[in-house]
Amino acid sequence: MAWMAYISHWFDEDDWYEGQQRAKMSQVKQVGLLAAGCQPWNKDVCAASGDRFAYCATLAIYIYQLDHRYNEFKLRAIMSEHKKTITAISWCPHNPDVFASASADSLVIIWNVPEQKVVARLDNTKGIPASLSWCWNAGDTVAFVSHRGPLYIWTISGPDSGVMVHREAHSFLSDISLFRWHPKKKGKVVFGHTDGSLSVFQPGSKNQKHVLRPESLEGTDEEDPVTALEWDPLSTDYLLVANLHNGIRLVDSESLSCITTFSFPSAAASVQCLAWVSSAPGMFVTGDSQVGVLRFWNVSRTTPIDNFKLKKTGFHGLHVLSSPPKKKPCSSQYPTKNHHTSSTSEAVPPPTLTQNQAFSLPPGHAVCCFMDGGVGLYDMGAKKWDFLRDLGHVETIFDCKFKPDNPDLLATASFDGTIKVWDINTLTAVYTSPGNEGVIYSLSWAPGDLNCIAGATSRNGAFIWDVPKGKMITRFSEHGKNGIFCIAWSHKDSKRIATCSSDGFCIVRTIDGKVLHKYKHPAAVFGCDWSQNNK
């Protein structure tokens, strides 16, 4: 499956039932779980609601919840009903116990989190749902869309249950990156497209298709996909938009104008994700796409208030779990419109900050997902990680083996093209291979203190990875482009390695590449191993 590995040990029932008759049977008890990382392929694979957040690996959804007794987030559930890659998740805004998920086999599922069960299923969605969202103004309605539409709306229960097509949201000229329902205006929805444009629909108003492209793209065929899109919680019409190359804009969806264009300290910086900070009106955070820089912004300033480099790897997803503000700010204004205009709500707008004004980060936590599968919970006020799982497999694991001379180290080989070595005491990854190996089906530790691992891949032959140095030192290509299903390093003769492949051969060679034996089989060979007694 998409999660990693269960770590178990044997224990006697004496440990639990002291003083009772000695039990004759031992049992296996789970003592740890190495959770998967967040997948880097689809956009809406991270979601949050109240004191819970969730993220998707390939086939499983991990749900964390705040344990109020210890004031820490703990893994509460793993949802694993999908059989194909999960493409999007969305938490119900009216009910924190329910969320929806979609997958590449044209399936949408409604989940009950506390009961950890499926509430409803929708099969054959006529296209893979690439983006998914609950309709804010309807308690049991989910919308989803793929490519260029149309937008499908699924009413899960009640007399109007079933799937309908949005009357206007179809026949777009560019693929849809993501879409967002307005949390206050019933039926208002915005789409972000891969060409950089937006499409806005609202009942009773003229629909706007492919508007507000960045000025630098006008009149060209260049694409600059919308990477993030969030309605301003203090306004009925303002919208934060991030394009991969043209940065962030605050736009007015009513007048179709740009209110503010935000500037980055470096021309090389680009935004992958953003989120409003509800505990600090007018404030939002962004995650860079190339490097893991978390930036804090206020709508009254065009430059970041603060920047923190959290990881070397770029962001993939970002959500804010905010503590409620202690008191409302007394006065302020937006860059153009204030809260007395008809275009904004009656909520108190954010304070205006001068360039030199002192600033403290707001309370709350940022759920951060990274392109390498890493997932963390960052305490914004304290400027520290509450927890960070720096690395994680994002695909199926095919093999795992303990280091022969150190049972605290466990190596895992995955469909995601990496081998990772885990310290099972801390449940964290301490080493990862360079990657880009295709599928890794099998691994084998070197004997003794060589600190190397041999890996077998689907298309790149076999390799030897020097774990401490973090580099590949040898490759074997005797099986050509055929997949190698198993690799075994002899622990009686450290110079010999065996592999078996879909080409029907089991090959034994020395670690410097000299072939010693080729054993032909009538079909693909899936396993091989060395005798523990005879080299």
Side-chain angles (χ1 to χ4, degrees):
M1 290 300 296
W3 55 80
M4 284 209 40
Y6 292 99
I7 300 172
S8 306
H9 71 181
W10 295 98
F11 69 96
D12 290 323
E13 292 198 349
D14 278 9
D15 296 340
W16 277 22
Y17 306 111
E18 186 176 0
Q20 293 188 8
Q21 183 180 3
R22 186 174 185 84
K24 295 182 180 179
M25 183 184 297
S26 293
Q27 298 179 0
V28 175
K29 176 186 177 184
Q30 180 184 319
V31 296
L33 172 72
L34 299 174
C38 183
Q39 59 151 300
W41 302 289
N42 296 295
K43 284 296 300 180
D44 288 327
V45 291
C46 177
S49 175
D51 62 354
R52 295 171 177 158
F53 69 88
Y55 69 87
C56 305
T58 309
L59 299 177
I61 303 165
Y62 290 79
I63 299 163
Y64 284 77
Q65 185 170 7
L66 179 65
D67 186 326
H68 293 274
R69 293 171 300 173
Y70 302 103
N71 197 34
E72 64 182 31
F73 281 83
K74 294 183 178 178
L75 181 63
R76 289 302 185 201
I78 303 173
M79 305 295 198
S80 58
E81 189 75 14
H82 289 286
K83 301 298 185 283
K84 295 288 185 180
T85 301
I86 297 164
T87 54
I89 58 174
S90 177
W91 220 299
C92 180
H94 322 287
N95 184 352
D97 288 343
V98 176
F99 72 87
S101 61
S103 58
D105 51 357
S106 302
L107 173 67
V108 177
I109 292 177
I110 310 300
W111 303 88
N112 182 293
V113 176
E115 298 179 13
Q116 299 187 35
K117 71 176 186 180
V118 175
V119 176
R121 298 168 62 100
L122 180 66
D123 295 289
N124 302 318
T125 57
K126 298 178 182 177
I128 297 171
S131 190
L132 174 84
S133 177
W134 286 87
C135 302
W136 275 80
N137 304 99
D140 61 348
T141 305
V142 172
F144 54 89
V145 68
S146 62
H147 303 299
R148 300 191 177 186
L151 179 69
Y152 292 98
I153 299 174
W154 174 29
T155 302
I156 300 158
S157 59
D160 299 324
S161 63
V163 180
M164 61 172 286
V165 176
H166 193 288
R167 283 178 294 180
E168 306 291 340
H170 57 81
S171 305
F172 294 105
L173 301 176
S174 175
D175 282 358
I176 297 164
S177 302
L178 68 167
F179 72 99
R180 294 289 183 263
W181 291 100
H182 198 288
K184 297 189 179 96
K185 276 194 172 181
K186 185 173 182 179
K188 187 171 184 178
V189 61
V190 61
F191 298 84
H193 298 279
T194 56
D195 70 351
S197 66
L198 304 178
S199 296
V200 184
F201 298 86
Q202 60 178 322
S205 299
K206 182 183 176 182
N207 296 319
Q208 304 290 343
K209 280 190 175 183
H210 301 293
V211 294
L212 290 166
R213 276 187 98 202
E215 288 184 10
S216 62
L217 297 178
E218 289 301 332
T220 72
D221 294 328
E222 294 180 35
E223 292 201 339
D224 187 11
V226 174
T227 56
L229 200 59
E230 297 296 341
W231 290 104
D232 185 338
L234 295 179
S235 165
T236 53
D237 297 316
Y238 286 176
L239 180 71
L240 263 183
V241 184
N243 292 78
L244 184 60
H245 304 297
N246 275 275
I248 316 162
R249 293 169 294 152
L250 181 69
V251 302
D252 187 336
S253 65
E254 196 70 22
S255 65
L256 300 181
S257 60
C258 179
I259 305 299
T260 307
T261 299
F262 298 92
S263 304
F264 285 87
S266 164
S270 58
V271 173
Q272 178 66 24
C273 48
L274 62 82
W276 290 98
V277 181
S278 61
S279 62
M283 185 174 294
F284 62 96
V285 291
T286 61
D288 282 19
S289 59
Q290 299 299 318
V291 183
V293 177
L294 181 70
R295 302 185 193 273
F296 288 79
W297 308 74
N298 186 281
V299 293
S300 62
R301 275 178 52 171
T302 59
T303 55
I305 296 168
D306 221 333
N307 309 281
F308 298 93
K309 185 176 179 180
L310 304 185
K311 258 175 75 78
K312 293 181 179 179
T313 315
F315 272 84
H316 180 61
L318 182 63
H319 273 274
V320 171
L321 301 171
S322 294
S323 306
K326 292 182 174 137
K327 61 179 180 178
K328 290 183 178 180
C330 54
S331 65
S332 97
Q333 62 183 20
Y334 266 95
T336 301
K337 294 183 181 178
N338 61 39
H339 67 287
H340 297 296
T341 66
S342 61
S343 182
T344 57
S345 69
E346 292 303 312
V348 179
T352 301
L353 298 176
T354 66
Q355 288 294 118
N356 300 318
Q357 184 174 343
F359 168 75
S360 59
L361 295 183
H365 292 85
V367 181
C368 306
C369 300
F370 298 94
M371 293 299 290
D372 62 358
V375 177
L377 191 67
Y378 187 73
D379 186 325
M380 297 185 296
K383 303 179 186 178
K384 67 180 182 66
W385 289 109
D386 265 13
F387 79 80
L388 173 65
R389 191 169 56 258
D390 213 21
L391 298 164
H393 284 302
V394 295
E395 281 276 16
T396 304
I397 292 168
F398 288 114
D399 198 9
C400 61
K401 288 187 174 71
F402 284 99
K403 194 173 191 298
D405 61 343
N406 185 353
D408 288 338
L409 295 181
L410 175 73
T412 52
S414 170
F415 191 98
D416 66 14
T418 66
I419 293 175
K420 299 189 190 304
V421 178
W422 305 82
D423 182 332
I424 65 165
N425 295 306
T426 60
L427 302 180
T428 57
V430 289
Y431 300 104
T432 183
S433 65
N436 299 318
E437 295 294 342
V439 179
I440 302 180
Y441 288 123
S442 175
L443 67 90
S444 183
W445 285 94
D449 57 357
L450 293 179
N451 289 322
C452 292
I453 293 176
T457 75
S458 59
R459 64 171 185 261
N460 291 340
F463 60 81
I464 297 177
W465 170 40
D466 186 316
V467 177
K469 292 181 180 178
K471 64 180 182 179
M472 304 299 183
I473 56 175
T474 306
R475 289 192 178 271
F476 307 118
S477 56
E478 299 88 356
H479 295 285
K481 292 294 182 181
N482 297 287
I484 300 175
F485 297 127
C486 187
I487 191 164
W489 203 319
S490 171
H491 282 246
K492 293 291 182 181
D493 182 350
S494 62
K495 294 182 179 180
R496 288 203 265 183
I497 292 176
T499 55
C500 56
S501 165
S502 61
D503 63 6
F505 281 97
C506 176
I507 296 177
V508 178
R509 89 274 290 147
T510 60
I511 58 174
D512 60 6
K514 180 183 177 182
V515 174
L516 301 178
H517 303 285
K518 291 184 71 171
Y519 300 106
K520 177 66 176 148
H521 292 69
V525 195
F526 293 99
C528 62
D529 201 7
W530 291 91
S531 167
Q532 298 297 312
N533 305 311
N534 188 325
K535 70 177 183 178

